[in-house]
Amino acid sequence: MSTVGLTEIGQIIRMIRKSRGLRLEDLADENISPATISNVERGVAHVKQEKVTYLFDKLQISMDKLPEMILNQKEELKREKFSLFAIESLRDSGFPELALEKVKQLELEDQHPLAAYAYLIKGKCFNSLEIWRRAERAFLDAIRLSQTSLGKHSNIEAAAFNGLALCSYSQNELEQAITYTNSGLHAIVDDGERIHYRYVLLQNKAMFLEKMGRPVEALKVVQDAWEYIPEIKHVEVLLGLYWLRAELLRKTRDYDESIYYAMEGLELARLNHDNCRSCDLWITLGSTYMSLNRWSEAETCFELALKQEGKFSNHQVVSTAHARIGLLYIQKEQLELAKDHIHKAIEKAQETQDTLRLLYALTIMGHYYQKRNNQTEAAAYFKQSLNLARKYQYKNKEQIALFKLAQCLESPDQMDIIHLLRSMDVGIEQLE
């Protein structure tokens, strides 16, 4: 029998065994073990033909009825796959708890050909509910079971690695997030289902590298991903790549190109009514104008970014908008106005438990107090930033916080260390 035939026959045996309320152990005897029955049901290729025939005889399955039974089994699988698709859509529409309940009601065992898909949905639901450990277990189970005939070409393995990467990112474990993302990219099946995960993984890899302060590496990933732009139907991913390209070009000081891609992205976001990504792009555009000392245009961009507040659920982005306009007002010597926005940036980051944005907002507040010649208050904020950076091993953020803290604590007996820190070349452009 072919591998496909073995798989289909295994599904038939499993269906009949389950319909009769038999466990693997109930069907096993001195001629066939529970492990062998399990292998038959999973369509394992090395199972001997006589073992399959033995099970057919024991279950009194007529070979004449086999084609009809296989056809019925295929129809049942189609119905179950549609049910899972509907449940996944329910989760993606913002109902993870209800989706979890429904996938559990299907009661798909690990031997079921769609079990990996079910675990993937569970992982996505737990991710939405921020139950990280259960999400991780579900994604690992999806990977473990993804090598079935239905799983190999479905890119479930890549999708599950993407889920694991997001779990790590949400827990501020960026190195682990990149490792999972690379595994997901390696697992991609070119002619398989869910090919959009290639673009999602590339976007996420660039985002993780950007968050880690590695803009040149991140830009290379985005440039490599750009060849797929015509193929990308997922508007959120498309806009993410536009934002990343604009933001990374800004960080590498290619300001004209940054403005170009930010404007292109903003037009795309406007046409697709994506307020969240529009906020991101206005922040990037405003930051680019600020680097060029085009204060009026920068302020307009930040105000437009803040106008998006309340129109989307990703409140972390708003923290960055407040922090950047606060930095702008520091540059313009409008210090009280700056302080109000930076306080809001800190509050938003704390509310959403976004460590990187909190680090950024705390550093900006320290810079604000430096401008007010209040070195004691400035040092307090830089110390908070330094402690957070060390806790989560953000080396580039640690350098910035350490340098700024050293500026606050200058005294004759500290000049050597301050000279060393100044060699890091950390300045206001790093805060922008």
Side-chain angles (χ1 to χ4, degrees), residues 120-172:
L120 175 66
I121 296 170
K122 288 179 182 179
K124 291 173 69 174
C125 290
F126 287 128
N127 245 0
S128 295
L129 297 168
E130 300 183 1
I131 307 174
W132 311 124
R133 296 303 169 218
R134 296 189 71 179
E136 288 165 0
R137 286 197 297 271
F139 288 132
L140 288 169
D141 281 330
I143 292 166
R144 174 175 59 85
L145 297 171
S146 64
Q147 298 307 306
T148 64
S149 61
L150 291 178
K152 287 177 182 176
H153 297 286
S154 65
N155 279 312
I156 284 177
E157 183 179 2
F161 273 120
N162 181 67
L164 286 170
L166 292 175
C167 279
S168 295
Y169 172 68
S170 298
Q171 297 172 85
N172 297 300

Side-chain angles (χ1 to χ4, degrees), residues 11 76-82 84 108-120 145 148 150-151 156:
Q11 292 167 8
E76 178 62 20
L77 276 175
K78 284 182 183 179
R79 286 191 289 271
E80 289 172 330
K81 190 173 182 180
F82 174 77
L84 287 169
L108 301 183
E109 294 182 343
D110 284 6
Q111 292 80 13
H112 194 284
L114 293 171
Y117 188 11
Y119 277 118
L120 175 66
L145 297 171
T148 64
L150 291 178
I156 284 177

Side-chain angles (χ1 to χ4, degrees), residues 31-51:
N31 296 315
I32 191 164
S33 68
T36 300
I37 297 171
S38 176
N39 287 337
V40 170
E41 292 186 354
R42 289 185 293 115
V44 175
H46 62 69
V47 175
K48 293 180 179 179
Q49 175 63 45
E50 55 262 31
K51 295 296 183 181

Side-chain angles (χ1 to χ4, degrees), residues 48-94:
K48 293 180 179 179
Q49 175 63 45
E50 55 262 31
K51 295 296 183 181
V52 178
T53 303
Y54 182 76
L55 280 176
F56 263 71
D57 291 340
K58 189 163 187 178
L59 289 167
Q60 298 180 331
I61 301 173
S62 170
M63 294 297 292
D64 294 339
K65 294 184 177 180
L66 188 57
E68 181 185 349
M69 295 173 77
I70 289 175
L71 183 61
N72 290 339
Q73 177 67 6
K74 283 184 176 179
E75 290 301 316
E76 178 62 20
L77 276 175
K78 284 182 183 179
R79 286 191 289 271
E80 289 172 330
K81 190 173 182 180
F82 174 77
S83 295
L84 287 169
F85 174 76
I87 293 168
E88 186 178 20
S89 298
L90 193 62
R91 175 267 174 191
D92 293 346
S93 299

